[in-house]
Amino acid sequence: MDRAIVVIEDEPLLRQYAIETFASAGLDVVDFEDGDRALAYVQDHPDTVAAVFTDVRLMGATDGLRIARAITEAHPAITVVVTSGRFSERPAELGPRVVYIGKPWMAIDVLNAIIDAKQDD
């Protein structure tokens, strides 16, 4: 895959774990701790992004739900996976193309969600 996975997580240890998960699978990773910078990056470089993996709660004004909505509307080819420890069930605000995985997540579940979404395209 020539395009990158964008990881958006404000908790440093979780962000590092996600980075290592994707990198160990041979994927390029671009990471952000706040939603504002991450969304701007995806909007400026959509052809370089294969998927976005984001937490719901983030630093900055833009949360993961807003990121998911903006990306799926503007760039439907980009897979979006949202995670949260706050919601036990999938938030109703997420569109049908957004994958939701609750925390704590397992690396294999996130990787499979991205692979499955790409195969459905």
Side-chain angles (χ1 to χ4, degrees):
M1 182 183 299
D2 295 328
R3 298 181 300 157
I5 307 297
V6 174
V7 172
I8 315 165
E9 171 62 67
D10 60 348
E11 168 54 46
L13 292 176
L14 291 175
R15 187 172 61 253
Q16 188 60 40
Y17 179 60
I19 292 166
E20 290 171 6
T21 294
F22 295 125
S24 69
L27 303 172
D28 294 327
V29 180
V30 179
D31 68 287
F32 297 92
E33 65 181 353
D34 73 86
D36 301 327
R37 289 181 46 232
L39 184 56
Y41 177 86
V42 173
Q43 290 173 333
D44 290 344
H45 304 92
D47 295 336
T48 68
V49 178
V52 172
F53 179 58
T54 182
D55 191 9
V56 170
R57 284 189 170 175
L58 300 168
M59 295 172 62
T62 308
D63 67 13
L65 299 175
R66 180 181 283 174
I67 289 169
R69 187 171 40 256
I71 292 171
T72 56
E73 288 175 3
H75 309 288
I78 297 175
T79 299
V80 179
V81 179
V82 173
T83 187
S84 179
R86 182 175 158 200
F87 301 104
S88 60
E89 295 184 19
R90 177 188 176 85
E93 304 95 315
L94 294 178
R97 293 187 40 88
V98 177
V99 178
Y100 178 75
I101 299 176
K103 287 183 180 177
W105 51 267
M106 294 179 56
I108 191 71
D109 294 332
V110 177
L111 290 169
N112 283 337
I114 291 171
I115 290 167
D116 290 347
K118 289 298 174 196
Q119 289 176 347
D120 290 343
D121 284 347

